[in-house]
Amino acid sequence: MTNSRRSLTNTSSTRRLACAAVLLACVNLHAQTPSAPAASPIQPKDGLWNWTMGAMQSSASCMPGVAQSLAQLLPQQRSEQVQFDTPFHPAQLVKDSAISWQQRSPNHFIAVANGITVQGFPLPLNARYELFVLSPTRMRGDATVEMNVWQVCKVQAPFDFERQEQVSPAARTR
């Protein structure tokens, strides 16, 4: 074996060893890096909460006017006094026995309801809700309604829940 060939073999071996060392160092560094702490559950505050639905968007497969028809059946905004259970569970916000909620993480919930009917809408619908508790005074989510007319039609709308600050009686008289 010539010196140049031996040098080339040594260089390839050196490179492989260096790559293996870097890879091993990365694995060890990752193993020593503490993971982010798990989020703590957020407990929403009792009080007056406003619910606002954003603009509905329908899939291209929907018949014209479906999103507008659904929007007319659902409240675009409402306010109500809410006293939350401890620990918080979103079943208090969307009250329907057909809806089954699952908790994905401490502040993330998903619900699915299949075959539900909305007053005045002639077809059974499948609904999916996704809710995020962002703070003790704010939540947001998305609602997706799916129906099968001739093909699957999906209508999606974002929504927000926000707690309103209560005005004290003394502040009202000023």
Side-chain angles (χ1 to χ4, degrees), residues 162-174:
E162 193 164 350
R163 184 178 183 273
Q164 299 303 298
E165 290 300 320
Q166 305 272 340
V167 178
S168 69
R172 278 188 226 143
T173 58
R174 289 183 193 170

Side-chain angles (χ1 to χ4, degrees), residues 12-114:
S12 295
S13 295
T14 304
R15 283 186 187 149
R16 278 190 227 127
L17 285 173
C19 286
V22 168
L23 182 61
L24 186 59
C26 287
V27 168
N28 285 336
L29 179 63
H30 178 70
Q32 293 173 4
T33 304
S35 59
S40 298
I42 297 172
Q43 179 65 37
K45 291 181 179 180
D46 296 345
L48 181 64
W49 282 76
N50 286 339
W51 179 80
T52 307
M53 186 180 347
M56 289 188 164
Q57 296 181 348
S58 58
S59 63
S61 60
C62 292
M63 293 178 353
V66 170
Q68 292 81 2
S69 295
L70 278 173
Q72 290 175 359
L73 298 173
L74 301 171
Q76 300 302 302
Q77 188 170 20
R78 74 173 195 240
S79 296
E80 64 182 272
Q81 278 296 127
V82 182
Q83 185 173 355
F84 292 103
D85 291 339
T86 303
F88 168 75
H89 194 276
Q92 287 183 265
L93 299 174
V94 182
K95 299 172 186 168
D96 191 326
S97 60
I99 297 173
S100 169
W101 287 95
Q102 294 180 353
Q103 190 167 358
R104 295 292 169 99
S105 68
N107 301 303
H108 179 202
F109 300 87
I110 292 181
V112 176
N114 294 319

Side-chain angles (χ1 to χ4, degrees), residues 58-59 61-63 66 145-149 151-155:
S58 58
S59 63
S61 60
C62 292
M63 293 178 353
V66 170
V145 175
E146 181 181 291
M147 63 199 95
N148 195 348
V149 183
Q151 53 190 335
V152 175
C153 166
K154 290 185 181 183
V155 178

